[in-house]
Amino acid sequence: MDTFDAGAGSILRQPKAVWATAGASVVAFMGIGLVDPILPSIAQGLHATAGQVSLLFTSYFLITALAMLLTGFVSSRVGGRKTLLLGLAFVVVFAALAGTSGSVGQLVGFRAGWGLGNALFVSTALAVIVGAAAGGSAAAILLYESALGLGMACGPLLGAVLGNVSWRYPFFGTATLMAIGFLCIAAFLKEQPKPARRTSLLDPIRALGHGGLASAAVSAFFYNYTFFTVLAFTPFVLNMTPYRAGAVFFAWGLLLAAFSVIVAPRMQKRFGSLKVLGTSLVLLAADVLVLGYGDHTTAVVCTVLSGAFIGVNNTVYTELALGVSDSPRPVASAGYNFVRWFAAAAAPYCAPRIEEWTDLHMPFVVAAVTALLGALVVVVRRSALTDEAAESATRHATEDGVGVFAN
């Protein structure tokens, strides 16, 4: 039985605490794509431009990136369970407030608070799932990626169904679902053991001094710019009703989930992680370039197809971030996410402005170039990513055996 089959077989046999955390993670990731099908509706309802509405993503991910420095600091002092509940509480409050917004400025501000809660929850959820899941870290990562894919698929669908009535309803719906997640984690997740050493605010920055982790983070930065150009700018290009846009991004999310959980591990086993990642980034670059220059039908097809490449990339990058560094996994993950989420904040802000300065095609040309830059980093830094990942994998395997990463 190969590694993937062993991991996949154990995915369904998890403690209640893992399922509660994974279920709440689905809703957390739903919040990312929730606004996709209703972006034009929000712009119309609040009399805002595409550039102003895109700040919903920028404020969300900018705060998420900065908050990555806080997640380990908080969780190492109050514990993983309390950090998860704190993050969920922030999301419930600010998602509900977002639904009451009377201006785009208010909505952008509430999304920033939402981003803080999401950062506290998502980064801690990964550490909790890795520590508590049956079947080892490989099964845990697949479970986490399953939650990510399902959430990214269902977010646009929920946004379309509720947003077709009013653009405010998806925000209230998310607040309700996250409140349910809060109750589930409170009921099923016991407090995790705290680490022997508390994490400082600068530990994630120090972790980036590791060549392999820094290389993975820089490559992921370029990739995330491409990813979030597709996610945040394409809805304005497609210019569809909430139902139609929701259907497009639901199909996109299904491909993302399938390729991240099923296809990526098998491709990694056969061809190697770095070769798979480099090839997928090049194919993503070609896809977004065709998306930008094709007709409407081609744009729809390429949007959906991009989910396959994004799914593969997400899985490989997550494994690199957790395995390549000699830092504890939560610290390495925080440093890695600190870098890459800045691109998620930049792309929604830059893409509409690039269109204003040039034309509709140029934002996708820039996105194609950033995907290629991500692939170039993988190629140039291949030895660091490969050799240091092997050394760190040995170290993590040894330390996992004595419970160092049990939290």
Side-chain angles (χ1 to χ4, degrees):
M1 182 178 292
D2 61 30
T3 303
F4 171 74
D5 290 334
S10 63
I11 279 184
L12 300 180
R13 297 191 297 273
Q14 300 295 340
K16 290 181 180 179
V18 172
W19 284 118
T21 307
S25 298
V26 171
V27 183
F29 287 119
M30 285 172 62
I32 296 177
L34 179 82
V35 298
D36 258 23
I38 57 172
L39 285 175
S41 299
I42 293 174
Q44 183 178 2
L46 295 178
H47 309 290
T49 65
Q52 289 174 321
V53 172
S54 70
L55 292 176
L56 292 177
F57 285 99
T58 297
S59 64
Y60 180 88
F61 287 115
L62 182 60
I63 296 301
T64 297
L66 293 173
M68 285 299 161
L69 300 180
L70 293 173
T71 55
F73 179 86
V74 173
S75 64
S76 65
R77 284 162 176 76
V78 305
R81 180 176 181 272
K82 291 179 181 177
T83 305
L84 290 177
L85 292 175
L86 179 64
L88 286 169
F90 269 100
V91 174
V92 170
V93 170
F94 283 102
L97 288 173
T100 68
S101 299
S103 68
V104 70
Q106 288 181 351
L107 186 54
V108 168
F110 292 141
R111 280 283 283 183
W114 186 343
L116 172 60
N118 205 60
L120 289 170
F121 175 81
V122 170
S123 62
T124 308
L126 177 56
V128 168
I129 290 175
V130 168
S137 61
I141 289 172
L142 287 181
L143 184 61
Y144 182 79
E145 291 298 333
S146 298
L148 187 155
L150 187 59
M152 296 293 275
C154 293
L157 196 62
L158 178 66
V161 172
L162 297 180
N164 199 56
V165 180
S166 169
W167 65 263
R168 298 180 187 275
Y169 285 10
F171 297 106
F172 294 136
T174 299
T176 301
L177 290 173
M178 285 304 250
I180 295 172
F182 182 98
L183 294 175
C184 288
I185 287 179
F188 296 116
L189 181 64
K190 296 180 180 179
E191 186 55 81
Q192 305 291 297
K194 296 178 183 179
R197 188 180 75 86
R198 291 183 175 183
T199 301
S200 75
L201 292 175
L202 294 180
D203 278 352
I205 301 296
R206 295 190 184 101
L208 291 169
H210 184 278
L213 183 63
S215 300
V218 171
S219 178
F221 174 89
F222 289 122
Y223 155 66
N224 267 259
Y225 185 95
T226 308
F227 178 0
F228 285 94
T229 296
V230 173
L231 190 64
F233 183 66
T234 302
F236 292 105
V237 176
L238 298 180
N239 194 27
M240 305 168 87
T241 64
Y243 272 132
R244 291 180 179 273
V248 169
F249 279 96
F250 178 64
W252 169 86
L254 288 180
L255 271 186
L256 188 155
F259 273 74
S260 64
V261 177
I262 300 172
V263 177
R266 298 189 177 190
M267 292 178 66
Q268 287 175 272
K269 182 174 178 61
R270 181 171 182 180
F271 301 107
S273 294
L274 298 187
K275 187 177 291 186
V276 168
L277 180 59
T279 302
S280 182
L281 286 168
V282 171
L283 291 175
L284 178 62
D287 180 79
V288 296
L289 198 59
V290 174
L291 192 164
Y293 280 92
D295 58 21
H296 190 268
T297 301
T298 302
V300 169
V301 172
C302 287
T303 298
V304 174
L305 183 60
S306 70
F309 307 124
I310 289 170
V312 171
N313 294 338
N314 284 349
T315 293
V316 179
Y317 275 121
T318 300
E319 291 188 7
L320 282 178
L322 290 180
V324 74
S325 173
D326 54 3
S327 299
R329 288 190 178 111
V331 174
S333 178
Y336 161 78
N337 282 301
F338 172 73
V339 173
R340 76 183 183 107
W341 286 127
F342 277 112
Y349 177 83
C350 294
R353 284 155 184 79
I354 292 173
E355 181 200 7
E356 292 173 5
W357 300 331
T358 55
D359 56 39
L360 185 63
H361 310 302
M362 192 53 62
F364 295 100
V365 173
V366 174
V369 170
T370 55
L372 292 176
L373 288 174
L376 181 62
V377 172
V378 171
V379 173
V380 172
R381 297 289 296 168
R382 182 181 184 87
S383 60
L385 290 168
T386 303
D387 297 339
E388 294 177 16
E391 293 174 5
S392 297
T394 302
R395 176 182 177 273
H396 285 315
T398 302
E399 293 180 338
D400 281 345
V402 296
V404 170
F405 298 112
N407 64 315

